[in-house]
Amino acid sequence: MPLDSQFLKVANEYCNPYLATSGTEHVGILLYSLARMTRPQKIIEYGSGHSTMYVLRALADNVNDIKQEKAALLEKTQKLLSSADNLNDEAAIFEWFSSGGKACGVNPEYYLQDYQPKLISFEDLNDDHKYVKGIREAISQIGHDDIFEHMTGQSFSNVALHEGHKNIDWAWNDHIEYKRFFTEFWPLLNPQGGLMIFHNTPSQKENYQAIEWMLNSCGDEAEVLLLEEPHKLNQNGCTILRKKSHYNPTFHHLDRQKTYTSLLQFISRQKQIII
């Protein structure tokens, strides 16, 4: 389910991004790409709209990709394990690593966890508001109701979250109250690279200063990237904070024996699912 013409038609028809109060014609695509790359499971959003649909489509596409990757990983691993000699054959191991299409070069450990994404979106407007009804109709049309939870008629709050939703991988604010949003959700953000993203930070002094305040608050715990759209006066970019307090790059924990153990666990789980 890529960003096909039908998706774009629905997204732009229900939530026109080319408005002075919107400006997500590029941010939506950016969020889609980031979600496809980093594969978040739990996302908190404040201010539902055009970008909501891009994030949902990314999560749904991730689900489909992971199913395909698991199937390809299972197939190529069964081939590897068909002979005990293959485990001591560098050529056979390299063939396993470099084959499999979408499962080329994947880490078996990643597939030991279930991927069950959810976007929880806080919205000030009530259920009966025309805008909210339009958003829900659009999400229904693109087929992503099952991974969307709309918290309408309320501002954001970590207290309102179910316990299972308090391990946050992303927090995206496309509305207001940036400092309070940070205070509410930064402590719940995944310390291994969770992202907190704010729209419209370059053109609004209050928003820009809020980001500076956040960086002073979290110190070395965060990395920051501000992306500006230089051709616009307003709604002209976003800022991404990345929480890195417990992050270790892949090379820190690469180990052939660990990978092999994960592979055996993956095979065992897949057999149980098939049975």
Side-chain angles (χ1 to χ4, degrees):
M1 292 182 292
L3 301 178
D4 55 25
S5 59
Q6 179 60 26
F7 171 87
L8 296 173
K9 178 184 177 186
V10 172
N12 291 341
E13 182 178 301
Y14 281 88
C15 295
N16 182 5
Y18 297 104
L19 296 174
T21 55
S22 179
T24 54
E25 69 274 16
H26 301 302
V27 171
I29 298 171
L30 172 66
L31 294 178
Y32 173 86
S33 297
L34 282 174
R36 293 287 277 136
M37 184 174 184
T38 63
R39 295 188 172 183
Q41 293 225 45
K42 296 296 181 291
I43 299 180
I44 302 300
E45 173 185 63
Y46 184 39
S48 48
H50 184 256
S51 60
T52 304
M53 287 178 273
Y54 281 82
V55 174
L56 288 171
R57 176 53 58 95
L59 297 181
D61 285 350
N62 287 347
V63 170
N64 289 334
D65 272 1
I66 288 171
K67 287 180 181 178
Q68 294 173 27
E69 291 158 10
K70 282 184 174 181
L73 178 58
L74 178 62
E75 181 180 352
K76 74 174 187 176
T77 301
Q78 287 175 331
K79 181 180 178 181
L80 176 70
L81 299 180
S82 62
S83 171
D85 293 338
N86 285 343
L87 298 178
N88 297 312
D89 184 340
E90 290 298 321
I93 292 173
F94 181 76
E95 181 183 354
W96 169 86
F97 175 78
S98 58
S99 65
K102 286 188 175 182
C104 170
V106 299
N107 181 1
E109 185 179 11
Y110 175 80
Y111 301 95
L112 298 180
Q113 61 178 334
D114 292 327
Y115 185 73
Q116 298 175 329
K118 180 75 73 172
L119 171 59
I120 301 98
S121 181
F122 288 94
E123 173 60 58
D124 293 335
L125 301 174
N126 292 319
D127 283 343
D128 58 356
H129 195 281
K130 180 181 178 181
Y131 180 80
V132 171
K133 290 180 179 179
I135 289 288
R136 289 183 173 174
E137 174 61 25
I139 290 170
S140 179
Q141 285 194 30
I142 62 176
H144 302 323
D145 308 77
D146 58 327
I147 54 175
F148 181 64
E149 183 173 340
H150 217 182
M151 310 281 281
T152 55
Q154 60 182 301
S155 182
F156 58 84
S157 167
N158 61 41
V159 176
L161 297 175
H162 304 307
E163 284 302 316
H165 294 164
K166 291 190 176 183
N167 297 314
I168 301 170
D169 296 306
W170 273 31
W172 156 240
N173 190 326
D174 191 21
H175 198 19
I176 55 176
E177 294 192 271
Y178 285 7
K179 286 186 179 181
R180 189 170 75 83
F181 188 83
F182 173 86
T183 302
E184 285 284 318
F185 297 120
W186 184 262
L188 304 181
L189 195 65
N190 184 347
Q192 299 183 51
L195 300 181
M196 183 168 279
I197 309 170
F198 298 90
H199 191 211
N200 198 25
T201 48
S203 63
Q204 299 294 317
K205 183 177 181 181
E206 179 182 357
N207 294 346
Y208 187 87
Q209 290 178 335
I211 298 298
E212 292 183 321
W213 174 84
M214 293 173 202
L215 291 175
N216 287 332
S217 299
C218 57
D220 293 338
E221 194 177 46
E223 297 173 331
V224 62
L225 175 64
L226 188 150
L227 299 172
E228 182 172 351
E229 298 166 88
H231 59 292
K232 299 169 70 174
L233 292 174
N234 190 38
Q235 304 288 350
N236 66 335
C238 65
T239 296
I240 304 171
L241 297 180
R242 180 174 177 271
K243 194 171 184 178
K244 61 173 186 172
S245 49
H246 293 164
Y247 172 73
N248 282 311
T250 303
F251 69 84
H252 277 192
H253 48 83
L254 277 180
D255 178 84
R256 177 173 289 194
Q257 183 57 47
K258 183 180 179 182
T259 300
Y260 179 63
T261 300
S262 297
L263 199 54
L264 294 180
Q265 291 174 337
F266 169 77
I267 290 290
S268 176
R269 292 190 183 189
Q270 295 306 302
K271 286 182 177 179
Q272 291 173 11
I273 292 172
I274 294 172
I275 292 172

